[in-house]
Amino acid sequence: MIVQPKVKGFICTTAHPKGCKESVRRQIETTRKFGKKQGPKRVLVIGSSTGYGLASRIAVAFGYGAATMGVAFEKEAKGKRTATAGYYNTKAFEEFAREEGLYAKSFNGDGFSEEMKQTVIEEIKKEWGQVDMVVYSLAAPRRVMPDGTKVTSVLKTVGKPITEKTIDLTSNQVLETTVDCATEEEIRATVQVMGGEDWKAWMEALSDADALAEGVITLAYSYIGPDVTHAIYKEGSIGQAKKDLYQTADFLNEQYSGVNLRAYVSVNKALVTQSSAAIPIVPLYISLLYRVMKDQGLHEGCIEQMNRLFLDKLVGEVPLDEERRIRLDDYEMKPEVQETVKELWKKADSDNIETIGDIEGYWEEFYHMFGFGYENVNYEEDVEL
C-alpha cells in the first residue's frame, strides 16, 4: 500500500519500510567516514531499534566490525497497519550487516523480562561464549516487574509544580504549561522503569552465566541539560531515575572488578527522539538549541554522537567528569551555546518561534524517525508492509 505519515500528538502511527531502510543506510555511511577502529567484537545492545540504541549498534558494527545482538520490543505489520519504525530499522540493519559479512541477530520482545534475558544469554553462550560490551539503551514508558505487577514512569517535577514555556508543535504556538509534582509512589515507579535496576539485572544474569569477558565494557545513557529544563528533567522524576543509573554504574564497577568490568554512563545531548518529544518544555528548548548549534557548526544527531562516543572517546584513555561520566553533551553545554539559547528563550513567542527556532529541523528529524521526508524515497509508490 501507499504509506503516508499519520501523526497523533508526539507519535507517528505509521512507518515507511523503505524510508526506515534509507535512514539506517545514511547512518551507516556516516559511521564509515570514521574508518575502522579497534574495539569490542561481541556486543549486546539492549534497546537497539531506534534513537541512541540503534545508532550504538551501527557504530560498533560498522566502526569496530563487531558482531552484535540486539533486543527490542517492536510490532510487525498487521493488515493495513504498518510495522513500527524500530521493526523496519532492525530488519534493514540486519540486511546491511549481512552484506558486510557481520554477524547480527535480533530478539523481539520485552527486554525487562526474565525470559528474554535467558533467551539472549543462551544464544550468547552458544554463538560467542561471552560478550565484550553491553549497551543498555532501553527506553520504555512502563515495565512488568518480576512479580507480575505493572509500573509506569511519569514525567513530573519533584517537590513543587512548575509553570514554564513550551511549544505545541502541531500549531507552533508557544504557550505556558504547568507540570505537576510526582507522588512518592510515582517517583519510585519511574526509578524502577528508567533507573539502573534492570541494567543491573542484565549484568547479574550475564555474570551468573559466565558470559562477561575479561575487561567487558558496559554503558547506559543519560541527559542533564540546562537550568531551564532541570525542574522537569535533572531534578524531576526522570532525574531521580538517572541518579539511580549513576549509582548502578558505581555498583557494577565494584561488583565485577574481578573481570575488570568498566561501567560508564554517557551524558548525551538533547535530540529529537520518541522519548524527548513527550517531555513538556523540552521540544521548545530543542528547537532553539538546534538553531544555535547549527549556526555555530556544532549540531550532531544520534549517529554523530554515538560515533564520537564509540570511535573517539572509548578508544584509549576514556575522558570522565568528576562523577565518572562521559560527557557527550560537551558541545551543547558550551557557554556560548547556552548563553545564546537563554537569550532566545526569553524572547520566544508564537510570532517569532519559526524565525528564531529551528521548527523545520525539529519536524524533519521527527519524520525521519519514522522513515519519512527523504528526498530519494518515492512515497507515492506501493510498498510491502
Side-chain angles (χ1 to χ4, degrees):
M1 59 185 264
I2 293 170
V3 181
Q4 296 293 337
K6 290 181 184 172
V7 179
K8 287 182 182 173
F10 50 83
I11 290 290
C12 185
T13 59
T14 53
H16 199 281
K18 288 192 175 178
C20 289
K21 187 174 183 179
E22 175 61 14
S23 171
V24 172
R25 187 192 68 77
R26 290 186 183 204
Q27 290 181 69
I28 291 168
E29 289 310 311
T30 302
T31 298
R32 287 191 201 279
K33 290 172 189 167
F34 267 78
K36 283 284 197 295
K37 298 288 175 81
Q38 276 301 318
K41 290 291 186 265
R42 301 167 297 182
V43 180
L44 170 63
V45 184
I46 303 151
S48 60
S49 58
T50 60
Y52 278 126
L54 173 64
S56 301
R57 195 175 186 190
I58 290 169
V60 297
F62 293 88
Y64 296 156
T68 60
M69 290 190 195
V71 179
F73 205 174
E74 299 295 344
K75 288 181 181 166
E76 295 182 46
K78 191 176 182 184
K80 289 191 174 182
R81 275 187 91 92
T82 70
T84 52
Y87 183 88
Y88 293 134
N89 291 340
T90 301
K91 195 176 171 193
F93 171 84
E94 288 187 346
E95 202 174 304
F96 288 122
R98 277 196 300 273
E99 285 172 13
E100 192 88 356
L102 295 169
Y103 176 97
K105 188 169 178 78
S106 306
F107 299 84
N108 190 3
D110 182 6
F112 288 122
S113 73
E114 189 58 36
E115 293 78 11
M116 179 57 81
K117 290 179 177 70
Q118 292 313 314
T119 300
V120 173
I121 288 168
E122 278 172 28
E123 194 68 18
I124 288 168
K125 295 303 288 181
K126 187 176 82 162
E127 294 289 332
W128 298 343
Q130 294 179 318
V131 287
D132 304 312
M133 176 179 272
V134 180
V135 178
Y136 188 85
S137 183
L138 207 161
R142 63 192 64 83
R143 173 186 176 189
V144 178
M145 299 298 287
D147 65 1
T149 57
K150 288 181 184 174
V151 288
T152 302
S153 63
V154 296
L155 296 163
K156 292 185 178 181
T157 62
V158 170
K160 59 181 181 180
I162 180 178
T163 299
E164 190 47 272
K165 281 182 186 178
T166 192
I167 186 170
D168 176 352
L169 285 160
T170 56
S171 63
N172 290 347
Q173 293 296 299
V174 175
L175 32 97
E176 283 198 333
T177 186
T178 298
V179 184
D180 292 329
C181 279
T183 64
E184 286 299 320
E185 194 176 321
E186 286 175 326
I187 293 168
R188 190 164 52 250
T190 304
V191 171
Q192 286 174 316
V193 177
M194 306 189 81
E197 195 176 285
D198 187 57
W199 183 21
K200 190 192 295 182
W202 269 99
M203 299 311 291
E204 284 173 352
L206 287 159
S207 174
D208 290 346
D210 189 30
L212 296 178
E214 174 76 17
V216 63
I217 297 170
T218 184
L219 293 151
Y221 299 137
S222 184
Y223 179 67
I224 294 174
D227 294 346
V228 73
T229 65
H230 279 183
I232 185 66
Y233 205 102
K234 185 187 174 197
E235 303 302 338
S237 54
I238 192 171
Q240 306 312 304
K242 296 305 182 185
K243 285 172 191 171
D244 185 68
L245 204 64
Y246 305 142
Q247 289 163 4
T248 301
D250 293 339
F251 169 84
L252 293 173
N253 279 312
E254 205 173 300
Q255 185 75 6
Y256 302 111
S257 58
V259 292
N260 292 317
L261 175 142
R262 288 177 290 154
Y264 301 111
V265 175
S266 175
V267 178
N268 304 339
K269 74 166 280 203
L271 283 173
V272 180
T273 64
Q274 291 185 40
S275 309
S276 69
I279 305 172
I281 304 168
V282 169
L284 176 59
Y285 168 71
I286 289 177
S287 69
L288 297 173
L289 178 73
Y290 273 27
R291 167 68 67 217
V292 174
M293 291 190 77
K294 285 177 182 178
D295 287 349
Q296 296 187 15
L298 295 169
H299 179 67
E300 293 175 313
C302 282
I303 193 62
E304 288 83 5
Q305 283 259 291
M306 293 300 95
N307 285 337
R308 200 150 62 88
L309 173 62
F310 291 101
L311 307 179
D312 180 9
K313 291 191 181 283
L314 285 172
V315 176
E317 189 67 30
V318 181
L320 303 172
D321 70 7
E322 65 284 352
E323 293 182 50
R324 288 200 74 264
R325 300 172 302 203
I326 300 171
R327 298 303 295 263
L328 272 189
D329 63 344
D330 46 357
Y331 297 170
E332 175 184 352
M333 299 314 293
K334 278 177 178 278
E336 58 268 36
V337 170
Q338 285 304 319
E339 282 158 21
T340 310
V341 172
K342 206 174 276 186
E343 287 306 307
L344 293 177
W345 183 274
K346 289 177 198 164
K347 296 179 196 168
D349 60 31
S350 301
D351 295 330
N352 64 19
I353 189 58
E354 290 181 59
T355 311
I356 68 170
D358 186 20
I359 302 293
E360 198 176 307
Y362 189 102
W363 277 112
E364 182 180 58
E365 287 202 13
F366 177 88
Y367 282 118
H368 281 178
M369 282 194 294
F370 303 95
F372 296 105
Y374 291 109
E375 73 287 346
N376 58 337
V377 176
N378 180 1
Y379 294 101
E380 301 305 316
E381 71 169 348
D382 280 321
V383 289
E384 284 291 333
L385 299 189

